[in-house]
Amino acid sequence: MKTPKGLQDLIDDGVIDEVLRPLKSGKEASVYVVRSGDEIRCAKVYKDMAQRSFQARVQYQEGRKVRGSRAARAMGKATRFGRKEAEAAWKHAEVDALYALAAAGVRVPQPYGYFNGVLVMELVVDADGFSAPRLGEVELSAETARAYHRFLIRQIAKMLCTGLIHGDLSEFNVLVGPEGPVIIDLPQVVNASGNNSARTMLRRDVSNITISLSRFAPELLDTWYAEEMWALFELGELHPDTELTGEFEFDEHEADVDSVMQSIIDAREEAIIRQQGREAAAEED
């Protein structure tokens, strides 16, 4: 196939040897299957800022570290220089998160390097060596659904222990490999301590995964893992090996308006995500 723009430099520099085929294309990036020596990997080519909505990412960027105060001020004012800095910070966010999470034992694709706006990483495959399906594309037994839920809750907790929240986790960015789920797509990763929306995003991530897997194990809807892990996180008592129960006692003396609103948001987010999945499937057909 014709070498896509952005990957020829990697071939010239010997980072990869060949582009085999496109894997997927979205609003933020295009992913290709590539060969590097005897290894089959994937290369994520980030699209230019002009092709994406800058404002849509503002909520996620709150609390992210930037190179200096000048860059931070420029990003806040959305000047030309600020937009350029925001673009660089956005691209590096996923790269930095992948390295940090892989080191912390979170099951994400192993990164192999970031070169001129291209992230080279592990290609997640199924038992037959084909590209692994998304969580929303597989049928599961109740037992497997419960096991996947336990595993993903553990991964979310480990992420939180590193100070990060996925921010956009759903059945469409979890792949199912031979050894279980793998979390992908982290450009919207959130700083848990520096973002005012961190708790809401954590609850949404957990809710999306729980709702998806409750199709096979309805009892999962009776768990409250997000509330439990956030309470422990705020107290400094959440650790990678913390045993979570999914149980949580709400304060019944005060109206929990936030929980009610979050339930509404969760339902809307689920509907949007499912619609996006249907549209993506229709485009692939």
Side-chain angles (χ1 to χ4, degrees):
M1 63 171 286
K2 182 180 179 181
T3 303
K5 182 181 179 181
L7 292 180
Q8 186 60 53
D9 288 344
L10 273 66
I11 293 177
D12 295 340
D13 293 339
V15 175
I16 62 175
D17 296 296
E18 183 182 6
V19 180
L20 301 178
R21 61 182 175 86
L23 182 59
K24 70 173 185 175
S25 180
K27 294 180 180 180
E28 298 176 336
S30 294
V31 183
Y32 298 88
V33 178
V34 300
R35 181 177 61 82
S36 179
D38 295 329
E39 299 288 330
I40 303 300
R41 298 172 177 173
C42 65
K44 187 170 187 175
V45 183
Y46 294 99
K47 294 185 178 179
D48 294 335
M49 184 168 51
Q51 297 176 263
R52 305 188 311 272
S53 170
F54 174 78
Q55 292 298 327
R57 303 198 311 274
V58 172
Q59 184 183 34
Y60 296 91
Q61 292 172 335
E62 180 184 357
R64 285 187 182 174
K65 295 180 180 180
V66 293
R67 292 186 299 175
S69 57
R70 176 172 175 255
R73 289 194 300 271
M75 287 170 62
K77 295 178 181 178
T79 63
R80 183 175 180 181
F81 171 72
R83 290 194 296 271
K84 185 176 180 180
E85 288 294 306
E87 175 80 355
W90 176 79
K91 290 180 178 179
H92 280 281
E94 179 167 31
V95 180
D96 294 342
L98 279 178
Y99 276 102
L101 295 176
V106 179
R107 186 61 180 99
V108 294
Q110 178 65 44
Y112 294 114
Y114 179 67
F115 312 89
N116 301 322
V118 179
L119 171 61
V120 179
M121 55 187 168
E122 171 191 1
L123 175 66
V124 182
V125 297
D126 63 15
D128 297 318
F130 297 104
S131 301
R134 297 171 181 174
L135 182 62
E137 298 172 334
V138 297
E139 292 294 321
L140 304 172
S141 67
E143 181 180 3
T144 301
R146 288 191 289 268
Y148 281 8
H149 188 262
R150 286 194 300 272
F151 179 80
L152 287 168
I153 291 298
R154 173 66 64 191
Q155 303 312 296
I156 295 170
K158 284 184 177 181
M159 290 179 68
L160 188 55
C161 287
T162 70
L164 298 175
I165 296 170
H166 188 287
D168 193 34
L169 191 61
S170 76
E171 61 184 8
F172 294 103
N173 43 35
V174 174
L175 300 179
V176 180
E179 299 178 359
V182 182
I183 295 174
I184 63 170
D185 291 342
L186 290 147
Q188 274 87 15
V189 67
V190 171
N191 182 319
S193 299
N195 191 303
N196 289 323
S197 300
R199 181 186 178 191
T200 297
M201 292 185 184
L202 174 70
R203 294 171 70 175
R204 187 175 64 195
D205 283 356
V206 173
S207 177
N208 284 341
I209 294 301
T210 300
I211 289 172
S212 175
L213 291 171
S214 70
R215 291 179 294 153
F216 313 105
E219 68 274 13
L220 295 176
L221 293 173
D222 295 326
T223 58
W224 302 95
Y225 285 103
E227 288 76 7
E228 181 186 11
M229 70 175 74
W230 184 260
L232 292 170
F233 175 72
E234 285 191 312
L235 293 171
E237 297 178 0
L238 181 68
H239 308 289
D241 58 352
T242 298
E243 290 294 332
L244 298 172
T245 65
E247 299 176 359
F248 184 77
E249 292 187 12
F250 291 91
D251 186 350
E252 298 180 357
H253 299 289
E254 297 181 5
D256 193 358
V257 178
D258 188 45
S259 289
V260 175
M261 291 301 298
Q262 187 59 40
S263 296
I264 297 172
I265 292 171
D266 288 341
R268 290 177 176 174
E269 288 288 337
E270 182 195 8
I272 292 172
I273 289 170
R274 291 187 184 282
Q275 180 59 33
Q276 290 174 339
R278 287 192 289 269
E279 291 174 354
E283 289 177 1
E284 290 175 358
D285 292 337

